PDB file of all heavy atoms in Angstrom:
ATOM      1  N   SER A 126     119.802 121.143  68.259  1.00 54.00           N
ATOM      2  CA  SER A 126     121.235 121.215  68.014  1.00 54.00           C
ATOM      3  C   SER A 126     121.646 121.403  66.555  1.00 54.00           C
ATOM      4  O   SER A 126     121.060 120.701  65.744  1.00 54.00           O
ATOM      5  CB  SER A 126     121.951 119.739  68.500  1.00 54.00           C
ATOM      6  OG  SER A 126     123.127 119.682  67.966  1.00 54.00           O
ATOM      7  N   PRO A 127     122.447 122.305  66.235  1.00 56.00           N
ATOM      8  CA  PRO A 127     122.873 122.509  64.790  1.00 56.00           C
ATOM      9  C   PRO A 127     123.772 121.470  64.393  1.00 56.00           C
ATOM     10  O   PRO A 127     123.999 121.375  63.130  1.00 56.00           O
ATOM     11  CB  PRO A 127     123.608 123.912  64.917  1.00 56.00           C
ATOM     12  CG  PRO A 127     124.198 123.901  66.338  1.00 56.00           C
ATOM     13  CD  PRO A 127     123.142 123.191  67.177  1.00 56.00           C
ATOM     14  N   GLU A 128     124.380 120.573  65.259  1.00 54.00           N
ATOM     15  CA  GLU A 128     125.353 119.615  64.839  1.00 54.00           C
ATOM     16  C   GLU A 128     124.521 118.246  64.583  1.00 54.00           C
ATOM     17  O   GLU A 128     124.840 117.666  63.518  1.00 54.00           O
ATOM     18  CB  GLU A 128     126.322 119.268  65.986  1.00 54.00           C
ATOM     19  CG  GLU A 128     127.238 120.469  66.192  1.00 54.00           C
ATOM     20  CD  GLU A 128     128.254 120.214  67.316  1.00 54.00           C
ATOM     21  OE1 GLU A 128     128.139 119.107  67.905  1.00 54.00           O
ATOM     22  OE2 GLU A 128     129.167 120.990  67.507  1.00 54.00           O
ATOM     23  N   TYR A 129     123.702 117.834  65.497  1.00 52.00           N
ATOM     24  CA  TYR A 129     123.118 116.523  65.356  1.00 52.00           C
ATOM     25  C   TYR A 129     121.968 116.458  64.423  1.00 52.00           C
ATOM     26  O   TYR A 129     121.868 115.643  63.574  1.00 52.00           O
ATOM     27  CB  TYR A 129     122.652 115.893  66.681  1.00 52.00           C
ATOM     28  CG  TYR A 129     121.921 114.613  66.581  1.00 52.00           C
ATOM     29  CD1 TYR A 129     122.530 113.509  66.263  1.00 52.00           C
ATOM     30  CD2 TYR A 129     120.523 114.694  66.710  1.00 52.00           C
ATOM     31  CE1 TYR A 129     121.763 112.327  66.077  1.00 52.00           C
ATOM     32  CE2 TYR A 129     119.786 113.488  66.687  1.00 52.00           C
ATOM     33  CZ  TYR A 129     120.332 112.378  66.298  1.00 52.00           C
ATOM     34  OH  TYR A 129     119.712 111.249  66.224  1.00 52.00           O
ATOM     35  N   VAL A 130     121.048 117.363  64.521  1.00 54.00           N
ATOM     36  CA  VAL A 130     119.682 117.311  63.712  1.00 54.00           C
ATOM     37  C   VAL A 130     119.976 117.209  62.285  1.00 54.00           C
ATOM     38  O   VAL A 130     119.504 116.418  61.507  1.00 54.00           O
ATOM     39  CB  VAL A 130     118.769 118.424  64.153  1.00 54.00           C
ATOM     40  CG1 VAL A 130     117.543 118.365  63.268  1.00 54.00           C
ATOM     41  CG2 VAL A 130     118.392 118.195  65.633  1.00 54.00           C
ATOM     42  N   PRO A 131     120.821 118.211  61.682  1.00 46.00           N
ATOM     43  CA  PRO A 131     120.995 118.081  60.167  1.00 46.00           C
ATOM     44  C   PRO A 131     121.733 116.780  59.777  1.00 46.00           C
ATOM     45  O   PRO A 131     121.455 116.209  58.771  1.00 46.00           O
ATOM     46  CB  PRO A 131     122.002 119.329  60.027  1.00 46.00           C
ATOM     47  CG  PRO A 131     121.702 120.256  61.132  1.00 46.00           C
ATOM     48  CD  PRO A 131     121.516 119.362  62.268  1.00 46.00           C
ATOM     49  N   SER A 132     122.587 116.302  60.780  1.00 61.00           N
ATOM     50  CA  SER A 132     123.173 114.974  60.382  1.00 61.00           C
ATOM     51  C   SER A 132     122.229 113.864  60.328  1.00 61.00           C
ATOM     52  O   SER A 132     122.386 112.981  59.462  1.00 61.00           O
ATOM     53  CB  SER A 132     124.288 114.685  61.570  1.00 61.00           C
ATOM     54  OG  SER A 132     125.258 115.658  61.466  1.00 61.00           O
ATOM     55  N   MET A 133     121.209 113.794  61.188  1.00 64.00           N
ATOM     56  CA  MET A 133     120.123 112.687  61.008  1.00 64.00           C
ATOM     57  C   MET A 133     119.411 112.945  59.819  1.00 64.00           C
ATOM     58  O   MET A 133     119.059 111.892  59.173  1.00 64.00           O
ATOM     59  CB  MET A 133     119.289 112.727  62.284  1.00 64.00           C
ATOM     60  CG  MET A 133     119.908 112.228  63.611  1.00 64.00           C
ATOM     61  SD  MET A 133     120.350 110.513  63.391  1.00 64.00           S
ATOM     62  CE  MET A 133     118.863 109.793  62.928  1.00 64.00           C
ATOM     63  N   HIS A 134     119.098 114.121  59.382  1.00 67.00           N
ATOM     64  CA  HIS A 134     118.475 114.201  58.220  1.00 67.00           C
ATOM     65  C   HIS A 134     119.299 113.763  57.017  1.00 67.00           C
ATOM     66  O   HIS A 134     118.804 113.134  56.023  1.00 67.00           O
ATOM     67  CB  HIS A 134     118.060 115.764  57.876  1.00 67.00           C
ATOM     68  CG  HIS A 134     117.053 116.293  58.800  1.00 67.00           C
ATOM     69  ND1 HIS A 134     115.823 115.557  58.913  1.00 67.00           N
ATOM     70  CD2 HIS A 134     116.920 117.369  59.546  1.00 67.00           C
ATOM     71  CE1 HIS A 134     115.024 116.201  59.795  1.00 67.00           C
ATOM     72  NE2 HIS A 134     115.683 117.328  60.269  1.00 67.00           N
ATOM     73  N   HIS A 135     120.581 114.011  57.092  1.00 68.00           N
ATOM     74  CA  HIS A 135     121.557 113.487  56.054  1.00 68.00           C
ATOM     75  C   HIS A 135     121.547 111.962  56.005  1.00 68.00           C
ATOM     76  O   HIS A 135     121.669 111.364  54.955  1.00 68.00           O
ATOM     77  CB  HIS A 135     122.973 114.138  56.318  1.00 68.00           C
ATOM     78  CG  HIS A 135     123.802 113.886  55.184  1.00 68.00           C
ATOM     79  ND1 HIS A 135     123.468 114.045  53.809  1.00 68.00           N
ATOM     80  CD2 HIS A 135     125.120 113.386  55.175  1.00 68.00           C
ATOM     81  CE1 HIS A 135     124.538 113.741  53.088  1.00 68.00           C
ATOM     82  NE2 HIS A 135     125.553 113.314  53.806  1.00 68.00           N
ATOM     83  N   ILE A 136     121.599 111.458  57.183  1.00 71.00           N
ATOM     84  CA  ILE A 136     121.637 109.862  57.301  1.00 71.00           C
ATOM     85  C   ILE A 136     120.318 109.428  56.610  1.00 71.00           C
ATOM     86  O   ILE A 136     120.478 108.412  55.819  1.00 71.00           O
ATOM     87  CB  ILE A 136     121.646 109.406  58.746  1.00 71.00           C
ATOM     88  CG1 ILE A 136     123.062 109.727  59.393  1.00 71.00           C
ATOM     89  CG2 ILE A 136     121.378 107.963  58.832  1.00 71.00           C
ATOM     90  CD1 ILE A 136     123.167 109.401  60.783  1.00 71.00           C
ATOM     91  N   ARG A 137     119.220 109.924  56.891  1.00 71.00           N
ATOM     92  CA  ARG A 137     117.935 109.529  56.306  1.00 71.00           C
ATOM     93  C   ARG A 137     117.983 109.672  54.716  1.00 71.00           C
ATOM     94  O   ARG A 137     117.365 108.872  54.029  1.00 71.00           O
ATOM     95  CB  ARG A 137     116.722 110.174  56.783  1.00 71.00           C
ATOM     96  CG  ARG A 137     116.486 109.820  58.257  1.00 71.00           C
ATOM     97  CD  ARG A 137     115.210 110.339  58.739  1.00 71.00           C
ATOM     98  NE  ARG A 137     114.894 110.032  60.117  1.00 71.00           N
ATOM     99  CZ  ARG A 137     114.352 108.841  60.521  1.00 71.00           C
ATOM    100  NH1 ARG A 137     113.997 107.901  59.563  1.00 71.00           N
ATOM    101  NH2 ARG A 137     114.185 108.421  61.759  1.00 71.00           N
ATOM    102  N   SER A 138     118.592 110.679  54.287  1.00 72.00           N
ATOM    103  CA  SER A 138     118.734 110.886  52.900  1.00 72.00           C
ATOM    104  C   SER A 138     119.612 109.904  52.070  1.00 72.00           C
ATOM    105  O   SER A 138     119.470 109.617  50.928  1.00 72.00           O
ATOM    106  CB  SER A 138     119.178 112.436  52.538  1.00 72.00           C
ATOM    107  OG  SER A 138     120.555 112.461  52.884  1.00 72.00           O
TER     108      SER A 138
END
Side-chain angles (χ1 to χ4, degrees):
S126 165
E128 295 180 353
Y129 171 74
V130 176
S132 299
M133 283 303 300
H134 288 310
H135 188 47
I136 289 174
R137 290 188 179 278
S138 69

